Amino acid sequence: PDSASILRAIWSEDSVIADAVQDAQTVLRGGVGFGDAMSNREVERAAIAYVKEILGNEGWGVTSVESKRIGFDLLCKKKKDERHVEVKGVRGPIPVFVITEGELRRAECDPYFWLYVVTDALDSPNAHIMSGEEVIERYAFVALAYRAVIRGTDERT
């Protein structure tokens, strides 16, 4: 449904088409997630704050676990329910983002995993919310980089 509304908007307005083409070109050049550190942090902070507000309004208790680097950002509890929420902030309107190997593993294996992609995070935030299973169904994952290690070693860190 979110993609359909984006496509309808793109097809109905020339300026939106130009913006979408520019965003797509940025994605193809690898621009998503590769801005300067200060700008990326600003987008991420805005997205996290927005998602905390959404979850709080829905009655979830929210604890940040970002510093633990465990494959999600927010541990959320409501009565007996639990969610492991990963938040992705995006500057533009298209929900394309960089995901780490650990986050992807969480999406594949953690039944409590939820992804909140916040588009237009700095201007007019819009949350695209999906379970881990939906993430795997909706997205194709393209390798951005590899770490080279000496053959015969098992170094993965």
Side-chain angles (χ1 to χ4, degrees):
D2 294 331
S3 297
S5 64
I6 291 170
L7 287 173
R8 275 195 290 280
I10 289 171
W11 291 329
S12 66
E13 290 187 36
D14 289 341
S15 63
V16 174
I17 291 173
D19 291 345
V21 168
Q22 184 174 352
D23 286 346
Q25 289 170 338
T26 300
V27 168
L28 292 173
R29 286 192 313 268
V32 173
F34 293 101
D36 66 87
M38 187 178 294
S39 177
N40 288 346
R41 188 68 190 137
E42 181 184 9
V43 170
E44 192 70 14
R45 282 185 184 150
I48 294 267
Y50 184 66
V51 170
K52 283 181 174 179
E53 181 181 339
I54 289 171
L55 291 165
N57 289 341
E58 292 176 353
W60 291 91
V62 179
T63 303
S64 174
V65 293
E66 295 168 83
S67 63
K68 294 183 179 183
R69 300 190 181 275
I70 55 176
F72 60 93
D73 297 317
L74 305 173
L75 174 60
C76 306
K77 295 185 177 186
K78 181 167 56 170
K79 297 183 182 177
K80 292 183 179 185
D81 292 329
E82 185 169 315
R83 283 190 181 176
H84 301 157
V85 174
E86 174 60 24
V87 179
K88 295 296 182 184
V90 179
R91 183 175 299 277
I94 301 172
V96 174
F97 51 91
V98 174
I99 188 167
T100 69
E101 182 180 1
E103 293 161 353
L104 183 55
R105 252 187 275 123
R106 280 280 183 180
E108 292 170 330
C109 301
D110 182 351
Y112 302 109
F113 183 89
W114 285 81
L115 178 68
Y116 286 58
V117 181
V118 180
T119 54
D120 293 314
L122 296 177
D123 301 318
S124 53
N126 181 32
H128 305 261
I129 303 166
M130 59 202 100
S131 68
E133 186 176 307
E134 292 170 316
V135 172
I136 302 304
E137 288 174 5
R138 289 184 189 179
Y139 284 89
F141 301 95
V142 178
L144 295 174
Y146 293 93
R147 182 161 189 237
V149 297
I150 298 170
R151 291 189 188 273
T153 64
D154 193 23
E155 183 184 329
R156 303 222 13 123
T157 56

